[in-house]
Amino acid sequence: EAQVTQNPRYLITVTGKKLTVTCSQNMNHEYMSWYRQDPGLGLRQIYYSMNVEVTDKGDVPEGYKVSRKEKRNFPLILESPSPNQTSLYFCASSLGRGDEQYFGPGTRLTVT
Amino acid sequence: EDQVTQSPEALRLQEGESSSLNCSYTVSGLRGLFWYRQDPGKGPEFLFTLYSAGEEKEKERLKATLTKKESFLHITAPKPEDSATYLCAVRGSQGNLIFGKGTKLSVKP
């Protein structure tokens, strides 16, 4: 089954404790992206990757890092989480940057 | 500046009461408009892509149409299971997808 998977699905952590949210896709897509979704603000892009070892900032990259060492994986790293990073996070993938994107199930992060 | 605006923010319908959701956009040279459905706490699910004015696509009770300035998602005889938030996105001038804030649809039996 073609899918995007994310782990963990739920995470509660404390300010400053580094965390990683994993994302994997099995569709051989070149483009992958991370979004956060907040009430009243909609989906906002954090980082994206056009291919292995090629990443770039989206609209709200501050406080986040990413890496793309393999085509199928695109982890999101929060090195020092803060409460304003409490949000619902989605990973997505597509054939190309402007093509329809397929989303993972989401990771609900709470930073206290 | 590329922009996507969806209206209304929320829509409540009775089962069987047809209606339309609107997505207006501002982008230089449209290269794709996308509709997604999102259930609470889940990832958006892709529905349609439209590329040129006059294009229409259908899936069950949903039909998406496109003009040069806006797109409509028509819902015919909706059922309670159609309740969800519907998101519209366009391919922006920089190549990325720009999402609207969505229309939350509730269909009461």
Side-chain angles (χ1 to χ4, degrees):
Chain A
E1 179 189 356
Q3 60 182 349
V4 178
T5 57
Q6 295 179 228
N7 283 292
R9 295 290 315 281
Y10 303 90
L11 180 59
I12 301 174
T13 190
V14 296
T15 298
K17 185 176 181 181
K18 181 179 178 180
L19 66 93
T20 299
V21 183
T22 65
C23 172
S24 183
Q25 52 95 3
N26 63 0
M27 294 171 278
N28 202 35
H29 285 166
E30 292 195 345
Y31 184 85
M32 297 185 75
S33 180
W34 276 102
Y35 293 87
R36 60 178 290 174
Q37 188 175 41
D38 302 288
L41 297 177
L43 278 165
R44 294 180 293 167
Q45 190 178 54
I46 303 170
Y47 267 95
Y48 64 92
S49 169
M50 303 279 278
N51 212 326
V52 175
E53 303 291 1
V54 180
T55 63
D56 208 346
K57 297 177 181 179
D59 299 317
V60 288
E62 293 77 21
Y64 304 94
K65 284 178 60 177
V66 292
S67 68
R68 186 97 179 270
K69 292 182 170 47
E70 303 168 286
K71 195 172 186 178
R72 62 183 294 129
N73 296 323
F74 189 43
L76 178 70
I77 302 156
L78 285 72
E79 294 208 324
S80 184
S82 62
N84 65 11
Q85 293 178 299
T86 292
S87 187
L88 181 57
Y89 291 86
F90 291 103
C91 179
S93 74
S94 60
L95 282 172
R97 187 178 184 186
D99 297 318
E100 62 267 20
Q101 295 189 3
Y102 296 87
F103 285 79
T107 295
R108 186 167 293 281
L109 173 65
T110 302
V111 184
T112 61
Chain B
E1 181 186 352
D2 299 333
Q3 203 164 16
V4 177
T5 304
Q6 292 188 246
S7 62
E9 289 186 13
L11 181 62
R12 302 181 75 168
L13 300 174
Q14 287 296 127
E15 184 172 2
E17 179 186 3
S18 301
S19 189
S20 297
L21 282 54
N22 177 263
C23 171
S24 62
Y25 61 88
T26 305
V27 66
S28 177
L30 182 68
R31 291 171 292 167
L33 184 141
F34 308 87
W35 282 99
Y36 287 83
R37 169 192 170 124
Q38 185 176 23
D39 293 301
K42 296 189 176 181
E45 176 189 346
F46 170 71
L47 293 173
F48 306 111
T49 307
L50 301 167
Y51 289 103
S52 55
E55 189 175 359
E56 299 183 353
K57 291 212 176 152
E58 286 189 67
K59 180 180 181 179
E60 296 181 352
R61 294 175 294 280
L62 301 176
K63 182 167 84 172
T65 62
L66 181 64
T67 72
K68 289 185 178 180
K69 293 184 177 181
E70 57 193 349
S71 176
F72 292 94
L73 185 64
H74 306 279
I75 303 176
T76 302
K79 297 182 178 182
E81 53 262 43
D82 295 322
S83 296
T85 295
Y86 291 86
L87 301 172
C88 170
V90 298
R91 186 176 178 183
S93 304
Q94 304 299 317
N96 55 324
L97 287 191
I98 301 167
F99 284 84
K101 294 180 180 179
T103 293
K104 184 176 182 180
L105 174 67
S106 298
V107 182
K108 302 299 183 185

